[in-house]
Amino acid sequence: KEFSRCKNMQGLSRRLHFRFALKCYKRLQPLSSTIAASASARALDTKTRESAREAGKPQASRIYMLSRHQPEVTAFPEALRALRAYSLSEISETVEVSLKVDMTLKKNKVRDPFRGSILYPHSFGTERKLLFFAEESLAEEARMAGADLVGGEELIAKVQEGDLDFDFDVCLATPGIVDKLRPLQKKLRALMPATRRGTVVENIAEGVAQFKRSLEYKCDKHGYLNTPIGKVEEN
């Protein structure tokens, strides 16, 4: 069907649509049996409706309550094959997972929204830029671990005065210097290092590796959580 549409097109539109149709054909070959079964079911459903219309019988309503009909569940390998089949971009696309978390703790009590970070076995996407506050004796260790910008009191002064010309995604600190960061609360806001966020680290190498390659996730008050899990072309 898509190839036949190319006949009515010209120039660039025809070439682009031909590439689209060819890619669809190649990607859908692994799903040919599923598509054929679905097409047969649709054809049978259409034939049944036409027979009912000719006999003058009332047709069944196509409107139904979602609460009474569970959505179709697909196994993960098959869903991934479908994503790869319908992926038409030249760049490997990101696969995201959407979760619904039960926020109920006890009767009439719900869990507060939460966030965190996860380190996958294989990194994908871009690495995050990391700012590290450390004492002078630990600064070199943080640099060797891979922190993008490391400093102590002189770096605190730059951030406080607004003279820091560096965009960063994560801010870490050692326990020995974290008390000196209190004046930066209004400057750093959500990036302020805190023990409860896990951004005050004792093991510098492990902390830098985790936060530089990890991905953040956030669950809202309704329990919805969306996060990327990999690339389409990854095994």
Side-chain angles (χ1 to χ4, degrees), residues 68-88:
R68 298 183 181 179
H69 296 266
Q70 295 298 325
E72 183 180 355
V73 179
T74 306
F76 182 78
E78 185 177 349
L80 187 57
R81 285 198 299 269
L83 283 176
R84 288 171 175 168
Y86 288 107
S87 176
L88 302 175

Side-chain angles (χ1 to χ4, degrees), residues 24 27-42 85-86:
C24 285
R27 293 290 180 91
L28 289 176
Q29 279 184 330
L31 301 176
S32 57
S33 59
T34 305
I35 295 172
S38 178
S40 300
R42 287 198 302 270
Y86 288 107

